[in-house]
Amino acid sequence: MNQAMIRQRLEPLIKKVNHAKSAKALSDHVILFGDSGMLDSVGTIKLIMSVEDEFDITVEENEITPENFKTIAALARYIESKLIIILAWVMACFNFFDLSSIVLG
């Protein structure tokens, strides 16, 4: 799953958590997390739980940083990186191919 696909699934989650009524698309650079973010602390927790459910990942406490959650673009990159790690782990478990051939990025 690439960042564009992740972003398509993220926007409805963010709008739901933020109770957005507008059908207008959110910019990739709208601030989600932090002092000037559109989400308060409760909204951020709800978004994290929604992301975990939607993408079947676990967000570790030390990963809840502005770097990972500040914007939709940052969140999509973070989720993509988590999914790549999961995929690499699954492939290693089943020994389908040499992990040195995986290009992360």
Side-chain angles (χ1 to χ4, degrees):
M1 182 177 307
N2 64 30
Q3 284 183 38
M5 293 170 64
I6 293 168
R7 198 219 180 282
Q8 285 179 337
R9 291 172 59 184
L10 267 178
E11 187 164 335
L13 295 178
I14 293 165
K15 286 182 173 183
K16 182 178 179 184
V17 166
N18 197 38
H19 306 290
K21 307 262 189 276
S22 172
K24 183 179 172 187
L26 296 175
S27 162
D28 280 346
H29 304 292
V30 68
I31 305 297
L32 301 174
F33 182 73
D35 291 337
S36 60
M38 67 184 286
L39 299 175
D40 61 12
S41 57
V42 173
T44 301
I45 291 168
K46 286 179 180 179
L47 178 60
I48 291 167
M49 292 177 0
S50 296
V51 163
E52 288 179 327
D53 289 344
E54 179 72 20
F55 296 97
D56 198 24
I57 62 174
T58 300
V59 177
E60 302 297 333
E61 187 175 335
N62 65 335
E63 296 171 330
I64 305 170
T65 64
E67 180 181 286
N68 292 333
F69 283 84
K70 188 171 187 173
T71 64
I72 296 173
L75 186 51
R77 281 191 303 273
Y78 165 75
I79 293 167
E80 182 183 47
S81 73
K82 293 287 279 192
L83 294 174
I84 288 171
I85 291 167
I86 292 167
L87 176 61
W89 182 83
V90 167
M91 299 306 277
C93 288
F94 289 102
N95 200 20
F96 283 128
F97 56 89
D98 180 6
L99 284 179
S100 65
S101 66
I102 293 181
V103 177
L104 299 177

